[in-house]
Amino acid sequence: QVHLVESGGGLVQAGGSLSLSCAASGRTFSSYAVGWFRQAPGKEREFVAAIRWNGGSTYYGDSVKGRFTISRDNAKNTVDLQMNSLKPEDTAVYYCAARSGVLASTRLYDYDYWGQGTQVTVSS
């Protein structure tokens, strides 16, 4: 089992920045790929970013490319999501998720463990 807890959400003006963090406990975190997803009211949960077990490869959704950066520190069991140039359409609950194995995935159902989510609100 892996237990994930997100933090760092909040309210920010458009154009601003926020940094989210996902802290993991339980089994060896370094053997898991991690993804960030988000869900806005009335919409499906969508892929935001993902990172391989060793941080060697990263992946981003089209809507956040060039603005968001995912990184991980396996020594601290954390995965961060740096969000810059935020837009009102980035408003959502952001979830981190972990999947067994080293390969990251953009697909929701490939992930085995989920955090409770953290709210990000971007005002115009």
Side-chain angles (χ1 to χ4, degrees):
Q1 287 283 349
V2 174
H3 182 59
L4 304 172
V5 178
E6 302 95 336
S7 61
L11 174 64
V12 65
Q13 287 190 331
S17 298
L18 276 177
S19 181
L20 305 183
S21 186
C22 175
S25 61
R27 300 185 69 176
T28 306
F29 185 58
S30 59
S31 63
Y32 289 79
V34 174
W36 283 95
F37 293 79
R38 67 186 182 186
Q39 187 166 20
K43 295 188 176 182
E44 294 185 350
R45 195 169 295 189
E46 66 169 352
F47 171 73
V48 175
I51 189 165
R52 289 190 67 177
W53 70 280
N54 62 353
S57 296
T58 57
Y59 309 87
Y60 297 93
D62 289 341
S63 62
V64 306
K65 280 181 182 175
R67 300 189 298 123
F68 290 12
T69 302
I70 188 171
S71 61
R72 69 188 296 162
D73 186 337
N74 285 340
K76 297 180 179 179
N77 282 0
T78 57
V79 173
D80 294 334
L81 184 68
Q82 177 65 41
M83 306 185 296
N84 299 327
S85 302
L86 283 162
K87 306 174 181 179
E89 50 265 42
D90 294 318
T91 295
V93 177
Y94 283 70
Y95 299 88
C96 72
R99 68 183 301 251
S100 303
V102 300
L103 298 178
S105 172
T106 63
R107 301 186 302 182
L108 186 72
Y109 298 105
D110 283 341
Y111 288 84
D112 305 301
Y113 304 100
W114 291 83
Q116 83 290 348
T118 185
Q119 177 70 48
V120 171
T121 303
V122 184
S123 63
S124 57

